Amino acid sequence: MAFQMICSSIILLIFVTIPPLTEAILDPHYYDKTCPQAENIVSQTIRNASTFDPKVPARILRMFFHDCFIRGCDASVLLDSTPESKAEKDGPPNISLRAFYVIDEAKTKLEKACPRTVSCADTLAIAARDVVALSGGPSWEVLKGRNDGRISRANETINLPAPSFNTSQLIQSFSRRGLSIKDLVALSGGHTLGFSHCSSFEARLHNFSSVHDTDPSLNVEFAESLKRKCPKPNHDQNAGQFLDSSASTFDNGYYKQILAGKGVFASDQSLYGDFRSRWIVESFARDEGLFFSEFAASMVKLGNVGVTENGEVRLNCRIVN
Ligand code: HEM
Ligand SMILES: *[C@@H]1O[C@H](CO)[C@@H](O)[C@H](O)[C@H]1NC(C)=O
Ligand SMILES: *[C@@H]1O[C@H](CO)[C@@H](O)[C@H](O)[C@H]1NC(C)=O
Ligand SMILES: *[C@@H]1O[C@H](CO)[C@@H](O)[C@H](O)[C@H]1NC(C)=O
Ligand SMILES: *[C@@H]1O[C@H](CO)[C@@H](O)[C@H](O)[C@H]1NC(C)=O
Ligand SMILES: *[C@@H]1O[C@H](CO)[C@@H](O)[C@H](O)[C@H]1NC(C)=O
């Protein structure tokens, strides 16, 4: 009986530890022999670019999220449109996806140092870790060995979660990628960095519903300040709001703002309105160290989404080989 139990646990263990054949196995030491300087090259490029343009960290972090949510972390977000096919980066929510040149710079240096070795998808994953660390957030060991995909389609950005989503819709969107409610709440903390244009939240400010002109989950004074920035009907195309009051520092301020009714997107604020996520929001608002360690763990999970062995190491991140 005991022997049988041991046998079946071994069988269970084998099933659990052998991943499906289509899934590439990522490894923190993947480039140790083939390109030991890979991470240094990326980190230096990111540091330099962020000094020239402080918007770079937020843009790179968001780019990684979009990459992983569409076709998995395969650098599909980096491909340019071709005459035959409009790429992801030219799909609708592209408005602040704009730091592609930084990845190009890193990739050019990587190709000089170790030709045909480091994938664009890994370059972006390393860059996403670096921008968080550089902004005062946590750091983590990046798993590597991703392949670059050959397909990028503008119409697939429809599968990104929208800022109007409620927590049920967010949970569904994340669980389709194998990400939990904790991952959802932790990764939404990426909104501690960066900026949003009015178009992403103005539906909350004017004619919100038949009952409320303004989204009632918004803090009243905060809603007034957003309305001044995004007046109806006309406002500057570039107008908008920083996602957190310390938008260039990676901290837990995002969660404190949500507790105060100052989440910029309906999706952010809804995490506090739903009992399944509220307690996690509260614990991250209370304990920045906890947020940092959970964010790091969830970024590693995000980096595993849809990773496959089908693909290539692109030579230029904008075009397939
Ligand atoms: C949970 C679902 C999410 C939704 C609905 C969402 C939605 C958005 C929207 C609408 C914007 C503003 C775009 C604009 O108007 O310019 C934005 C910005 C941003 N998002 Fe998210 N996002 C989500 C999750 C994430 C995740 C998981 C990360 C990273 C871990 C992330 C990182 C960012 C960053 C850094 C910005 C600022 C970009 C900049 O300043 O250029 N977001 N997000
Ligand atoms: C630093 O960044 C600037 C602006 O992007 C770029 O022109 C320059 O070539 C970079 N220098 C290095 C050493 O990467
Ligand atoms: C964003 O997408 C729109 C179409 O949805 C496209 O016309 C525009 O050129 C894109 N903008 C950028 C900066 O890629
Ligand atoms: C995007 O367009 C392609 C054909 O161009 C189609 O096969 C695919 O189903 C579309 N995907 C979505 C999400 O609409
Ligand atoms: C979330 O939104 C969906 C789609 O609009 C709706 O069907 C659902 O009832 C909403 N759930 C909650 C809890 O508000
Ligand atoms: C507000 O929304 C309703 C229904 O969605 C619409 O009929 C009405 O014209 C809108 N009012 C304004 C001032 O835009």
Side-chain angles (χ1 to χ4, degrees):
M1 183 65 186
F3 176 71
Q4 228 172 19
M5 265 174 63
I6 291 167
C7 278
S8 53
S9 332
I10 289 171
I11 289 164
L12 202 72
L13 209 70
I14 290 169
F15 271 109
V16 169
T17 52
I18 297 177
L21 283 173
T22 50
E23 207 171 274
I25 300 158
L26 300 183
D27 176 359
H29 303 293
Y30 191 79
Y31 297 116
D32 279 6
K33 295 216 170 82
T34 53
C35 194
Q37 66 274 54
E39 297 213 11
N40 270 334
I41 291 173
V42 178
S43 304
Q44 276 168 18
T45 311
I46 291 295
R47 189 169 306 120
N48 173 60
S50 306
T51 315
F52 278 83
D53 179 1
K55 293 178 178 145
V56 163
R59 288 178 171 174
I60 297 280
L61 181 58
R62 181 162 183 245
M63 196 187 289
F64 179 63
F65 162 57
H66 283 205
D67 184 32
C68 294
F69 261 53
I70 307 292
R71 295 190 166 269
C73 314
D74 68 342
S76 55
V77 74
L78 302 178
L79 286 171
D80 281 346
S81 291
T82 65
E84 298 82 53
S85 149
K86 200 168 153 192
E88 247 172 67
K89 62 166 66 156
D90 294 321
N94 56 3
I95 194 153
S96 54
L97 281 175
R98 267 185 208 142
F100 299 108
Y101 74 93
V102 181
I103 302 298
D104 292 337
E105 270 179 32
K107 180 63 173 170
T108 303
K109 290 182 198 159
L110 288 168
E111 284 302 310
K112 270 196 195 123
C114 347
R116 298 167 184 271
T117 306
V118 183
S119 66
C120 296
D122 282 346
T123 305
L124 183 51
I126 297 166
R129 186 267 320 272
D130 290 340
V131 295
V132 170
L134 198 66
S135 307
S139 190
W140 56 92
E141 192 159 52
V142 177
L143 304 182
K144 294 162 292 274
R146 294 172 190 79
N147 277 313
D148 297 328
R150 297 191 185 91
I151 296 169
S152 178
R153 292 201 183 113
N155 67 347
E156 292 180 350
T157 56
I158 189 107
N159 295 324
L160 287 166
S164 57
F165 272 16
N166 62 34
T167 296
S168 300
Q169 294 168 299
L170 293 170
I171 290 173
Q172 195 178 36
S173 169
F174 276 63
S175 73
R176 272 197 214 114
R177 278 99 179 165
L179 299 169
S180 67
I181 300 180
K182 189 277 290 179
D183 296 321
L184 161 65
V185 179
L187 291 171
S188 294
H191 291 164
T192 180
L193 295 181
F195 178 85
S196 171
H197 297 82
C198 295
S199 56
S200 303
F201 57 84
E202 65 193 350
R204 307 181 73 197
L205 307 178
H206 312 284
N207 205 11
F208 175 70
S209 71
S210 55
V211 193
H212 298 281
D213 188 52
T214 306
D215 183 343
S217 69
L218 270 170
N219 170 287
V220 174
E221 281 156 38
F222 188 62
E224 289 311 313
S225 87
L226 292 180
K227 284 180 190 180
R228 281 193 296 275
K229 285 173 179 161
C230 309
K232 202 188 172 185
N234 286 316
H235 56 72
D236 171 6
Q237 282 274 304
N238 298 319
Q241 167 70 30
F242 288 105
L243 294 177
D244 145 329
S245 56
S246 54
S248 58
T249 306
F250 195 101
D251 57 21
N252 68 342
Y254 164 84
Y255 300 100
K256 293 179 181 161
Q257 286 197 194
I258 290 178
L259 295 192
K262 297 178 180 178
V264 176
F265 303 135
S267 56
D268 296 323
Q269 196 60 48
S270 84
L271 296 174
Y272 188 57
D274 192 299
F275 74 96
R276 290 168 291 180
S277 43
R278 177 190 284 132
W279 66 278
I280 312 177
V281 170
E282 285 169 341
S283 62
F284 290 164
R286 211 181 303 122
D287 185 345
E288 187 172 74
L290 178 68
F291 164 51
F292 278 13
S293 61
E294 295 299 336
F295 183 82
S298 293
M299 283 292 280
V300 172
K301 272 182 80 178
L302 177 61
N304 282 329
V305 172
V307 169
T308 69
E309 277 166 353
N310 307 319
E312 59 189 17
V313 172
R314 239 177 258 155
L315 302 182
N316 173 341
C317 294
R318 292 173 181 270
I319 41 182
V320 297
N321 292 346

